[in-house]
Coordinates of all heavy atoms in Angstrom, one line a residue:
N1 N 9.6 -18.8 -17.2 CA 8.2 -18.9 -17.4 C 7.6 -17.5 -17.2 O 7.0 -17.1 -16.2 CB 7.5 -19.9 -16.5 CG 6.1 -20.2 -16.9 OD1 5.4 -19.4 -17.5 ND2 5.6 -21.4 -16.5
D2 N 7.7 -16.6 -18.3 CA 7.2 -15.2 -18.1 C 5.7 -15.1 -17.9 O 5.3 -14.2 -17.2 CB 7.6 -14.5 -19.4 CG 9.1 -14.4 -19.6 OD1 9.8 -14.5 -18.5 OD2 9.6 -14.2 -20.7
R3 N 5.0 -16.0 -18.4 CA 3.5 -15.9 -18.3 C 3.1 -16.0 -16.8 O 2.4 -15.2 -16.3 CB 2.8 -17.0 -19.1 CG 1.3 -16.9 -19.0 CD 0.6 -18.1 -19.8 NE 1.0 -19.4 -19.3 CZ 0.4 -19.9 -18.2 NH1 -0.6 -19.2 -17.6 NH2 0.7 -21.1 -17.8
K4 N 3.6 -17.1 -16.1 CA 3.3 -17.3 -14.7 C 3.9 -16.2 -13.9 O 3.4 -15.8 -12.8 CB 3.7 -18.7 -14.3 CG 2.7 -19.8 -14.7 CD 2.9 -21.0 -13.7 CE 1.7 -21.9 -13.9 NZ 1.8 -23.1 -13.0
A5 N 5.1 -15.8 -14.2 CA 5.8 -14.7 -13.5 C 4.9 -13.4 -13.5 O 4.8 -12.8 -12.4 CB 7.2 -14.4 -14.1
L6 N 4.4 -13.1 -14.6 CA 3.5 -11.9 -14.7 C 2.2 -12.1 -14.0 O 1.7 -11.2 -13.3 CB 3.2 -11.6 -16.2 CG 2.3 -10.4 -16.5 CD1 2.9 -9.1 -15.9 CD2 2.0 -10.3 -18.0
E7 N 1.7 -13.3 -14.0 CA 0.4 -13.6 -13.3 C 0.6 -13.4 -11.8 O -0.3 -12.8 -11.2 CB 0.0 -15.0 -13.6 CG -1.2 -15.5 -12.9 CD -1.5 -17.0 -13.1 OE1 -1.1 -17.5 -14.2 OE2 -2.1 -17.6 -12.2
Y8 N 1.6 -14.0 -11.3 CA 1.8 -13.8 -9.8 C 2.3 -12.4 -9.4 O 2.0 -11.9 -8.3 CB 2.9 -14.8 -9.3 CG 2.3 -16.2 -9.2 CD1 2.7 -17.3 -10.0 CD2 1.3 -16.5 -8.2 CE1 2.1 -18.5 -9.8 CE2 0.8 -17.7 -8.0 CZ 1.2 -18.8 -8.9 OH 0.6 -20.0 -8.7
H9 N 2.9 -11.7 -10.4 CA 3.3 -10.3 -10.1 C 2.1 -9.5 -9.9 O 2.0 -8.6 -9.1 CB 4.2 -9.8 -11.2 CG 4.7 -8.4 -10.9 ND1 5.6 -8.0 -9.9 CD2 4.3 -7.2 -11.5 CE1 5.7 -6.7 -9.9 NE2 5.0 -6.2 -10.8
K10 N 1.1 -9.7 -10.8 CA -0.2 -9.0 -10.7 C -0.9 -9.2 -9.4 O -1.4 -8.3 -8.7 CB -1.1 -9.3 -11.9 CG -0.6 -8.8 -13.2 CD -1.6 -9.2 -14.3 CE -1.1 -8.6 -15.7 NZ -2.0 -9.1 -16.8
Q11 N -0.9 -10.5 -9.0 CA -1.5 -10.8 -7.7 C -0.8 -10.2 -6.5 O -1.4 -9.8 -5.5 CB -1.5 -12.4 -7.5 CG -2.5 -13.1 -8.5 CD -2.6 -14.6 -8.2 OE1 -3.0 -15.0 -7.1 NE2 -2.1 -15.4 -9.1
Y12 N 0.6 -10.1 -6.7 CA 1.4 -9.5 -5.6 C 1.0 -8.0 -5.5 O 0.8 -7.5 -4.4 CB 2.9 -9.6 -6.0 CG 3.8 -8.7 -5.2 CD1 4.2 -9.1 -3.9 CD2 4.3 -7.6 -5.7 CE1 5.0 -8.3 -3.1 CE2 5.1 -6.7 -5.0 CZ 5.5 -7.1 -3.7 OH 6.3 -6.3 -3.0
E13 N 0.9 -7.3 -6.7 CA 0.6 -5.9 -6.7 C -0.8 -5.6 -6.1 O -1.0 -4.7 -5.3 CB 0.7 -5.3 -8.1 CG 2.1 -5.2 -8.6 CD 3.0 -4.2 -7.8 OE1 2.4 -3.3 -7.3 OE2 4.2 -4.4 -7.8
A14 N -1.8 -6.5 -6.5 CA -3.1 -6.4 -6.0 C -3.2 -6.6 -4.4 O -3.8 -5.8 -3.7 CB -4.0 -7.4 -6.6
M15 N -2.5 -7.6 -3.9 CA -2.4 -7.8 -2.5 C -1.7 -6.7 -1.8 O -2.1 -6.3 -0.7 CB -1.7 -9.1 -2.2 CG -1.8 -9.5 -0.7 SD -3.4 -9.8 0.0 CE -3.9 -11.2 -0.9
K16 N -0.7 -6.1 -2.4 CA 0.1 -5.0 -1.8 C -0.8 -3.8 -1.6 O -0.8 -3.1 -0.6 CB 1.3 -4.7 -2.7 CG 2.2 -3.6 -2.2 CD 3.3 -3.4 -3.2 CE 4.2 -2.2 -2.8 NZ 5.3 -1.9 -3.7
D17 N -1.6 -3.5 -2.7 CA -2.5 -2.4 -2.6 C -3.6 -2.6 -1.5 O -4.1 -1.7 -0.9 CB -3.2 -2.1 -3.9 CG -2.1 -1.6 -5.0 OD1 -1.1 -1.1 -4.5 OD2 -2.4 -1.8 -6.2
S18 N -4.1 -3.9 -1.4 CA -5.1 -4.1 -0.4 C -4.7 -4.0 1.0 O -5.4 -3.7 1.9 CB -5.7 -5.5 -0.6 OG -4.8 -6.5 -0.2
V19 N -3.3 -4.3 1.3 CA -2.8 -4.2 2.6 C -2.8 -2.8 3.1 O -3.1 -2.5 4.3 CB -1.4 -4.8 2.6 CG1 -0.7 -4.5 4.0 CG2 -1.4 -6.3 2.4
V20 N -2.4 -1.9 2.3 CA -2.3 -0.5 2.7 C -3.2 0.4 1.8 O -2.8 0.6 0.6 CB -0.9 0.0 2.7 CG1 -0.8 1.5 3.2 CG2 0.0 -0.9 3.5
S21 N -4.3 0.8 2.2 CA -5.2 1.6 1.4 C -4.8 3.0 1.4 O -4.2 3.5 2.3 CB -6.7 1.4 1.9 OG -6.8 2.0 3.1
D22 N -5.3 3.7 0.3 CA -5.0 5.2 0.2 C -5.7 5.9 1.3 O -5.1 6.9 1.9 CB -5.5 5.7 -1.1 CG -4.6 5.2 -2.3 OD1 -3.5 4.9 -2.1 OD2 -5.1 5.2 -3.4
N23 N -6.9 5.5 1.7 CA -7.6 6.1 2.8 C -6.8 6.0 4.1 O -6.7 7.0 4.9 CB -9.0 5.5 3.0 CG -9.8 6.2 4.1 OD1 -10.0 7.4 4.0 ND2 -10.2 5.4 5.1
F24 N -6.2 4.8 4.4 CA -5.4 4.7 5.6 C -4.2 5.6 5.6 O -3.8 6.1 6.6 CB -5.0 3.2 5.7 CG -4.1 2.9 6.9 CD1 -4.4 3.5 8.1 CD2 -3.1 2.1 6.8 CE1 -3.6 3.3 9.2 CE2 -2.3 1.8 7.9 CZ -2.5 2.4 9.1
K25 N -3.5 5.7 4.4 CA -2.4 6.6 4.3 C -2.7 8.0 4.6 O -2.0 8.7 5.3 CB -1.8 6.5 2.9 CG -1.1 5.2 2.5 CD -0.6 5.1 1.1 CE 0.0 3.8 0.8 NZ 0.5 3.8 -0.6
R26 N -3.9 8.4 4.2 CA -4.4 9.8 4.5 C -4.6 9.9 6.0 O -4.3 10.9 6.6 CB -5.6 10.1 3.7 CG -5.4 10.4 2.2 CD -6.6 11.0 1.6 NE -7.7 10.1 1.6 CZ -8.0 9.2 0.6 NH1 -7.2 9.2 -0.5 NH2 -9.0 8.4 0.7
T27 N -5.2 8.9 6.6 CA -5.5 8.9 8.0 C -4.2 9.0 8.8 O -4.0 9.8 9.8 CB -6.3 7.7 8.5 OG1 -7.5 7.6 7.7 CG2 -6.5 7.7 10.0
L28 N -3.2 8.2 8.4 CA -1.9 8.2 9.1 C -1.2 9.5 8.9 O -0.6 10.0 9.9 CB -1.1 7.1 8.5 CG 0.1 6.6 9.3 CD1 -0.5 5.9 10.6 CD2 0.9 5.5 8.5
F29 N -1.3 10.1 7.7 CA -0.7 11.4 7.5 C -1.3 12.5 8.4 O -0.6 13.3 9.0 CB -0.8 11.8 6.1 CG -0.2 13.2 5.8 CD1 1.1 13.4 5.6 CD2 -1.1 14.3 5.6 CE1 1.7 14.6 5.4 CE2 -0.5 15.6 5.3 CZ 0.8 15.7 5.2
G30 N -2.7 12.5 8.5 CA -3.4 13.4 9.4 C -3.0 13.3 10.8 O -2.8 14.3 11.6
F31 N -2.9 12.0 11.3 CA -2.5 11.8 12.7 C -1.0 12.3 12.9 O -0.7 12.8 14.0 CB -2.6 10.3 13.0 CG -2.2 10.0 14.4 CD1 -3.2 10.1 15.4 CD2 -1.0 9.6 14.8 CE1 -2.9 9.8 16.7 CE2 -0.7 9.3 16.1 CZ -1.6 9.4 17.1
R32 N -0.2 12.1 11.9 CA 1.2 12.5 12.1 C 1.3 14.0 12.2 O 2.1 14.6 12.9 CB 2.0 12.0 10.9 CG 3.5 12.2 11.1 CD 4.3 11.4 10.1 NE 4.0 11.7 8.7 CZ 3.5 10.8 7.9 NH1 3.2 9.6 8.3 NH2 3.3 11.1 6.6
Q33 N 0.4 14.7 11.4 CA 0.4 16.2 11.4 C -0.1 16.7 12.8 O 0.5 17.6 13.4 CB -0.6 16.7 10.4 CG -0.1 16.5 8.9 CD 1.2 17.3 8.7 OE1 2.3 16.8 8.8 NE2 1.1 18.6 8.3
E34 N -1.1 16.0 13.4 CA -1.6 16.3 14.7 C -0.5 16.1 15.8 O -0.3 16.9 16.7 CB -2.8 15.5 15.1 CG -4.0 15.9 14.3 CD -5.2 15.0 14.7 OE1 -5.1 14.3 15.7 OE2 -6.2 15.1 14.0
A35 N 0.2 15.0 15.6 CA 1.3 14.7 16.6 C 2.4 15.7 16.5 O 3.0 16.1 17.5 CB 1.9 13.3 16.3
E36 N 2.7 16.1 15.2 CA 3.8 17.1 15.0 C 3.4 18.5 15.7 O 4.2 19.1 16.3 CB 4.1 17.3 13.5 CG 5.2 18.3 13.2 CD 6.5 17.8 13.7 OE1 6.7 16.6 13.9 OE2 7.4 18.6 14.0
A37 N 2.1 18.8 15.5 CA 1.6 20.1 16.1 C 1.7 20.0 17.7 O 2.1 21.0 18.3 CB 0.1 20.3 15.7
G38 N 1.4 18.8 18.2 CA 1.5 18.6 19.6 C 3.0 18.7 20.1 O 3.3 19.3 21.2
R39 N 3.9 18.2 19.3 CA 5.3 18.3 19.7 C 5.8 19.7 19.6 O 6.6 20.1 20.5 CB 6.1 17.4 18.7 CG 6.2 15.9 19.1 CD 7.3 15.2 18.3 NE 7.1 15.2 16.9 CZ 6.5 14.3 16.2 NH1 5.9 13.3 16.9 NH2 6.3 14.4 14.9

């Protein structure tokens, strides 16, 4: 059932993007840089 498979895959991708935002990734990267400088 390719139609439903595609429908749920789109919902999967949308939920995946909502779990980890680009802004959070940038925040995490900045914190990691600060931690590395401290190390």
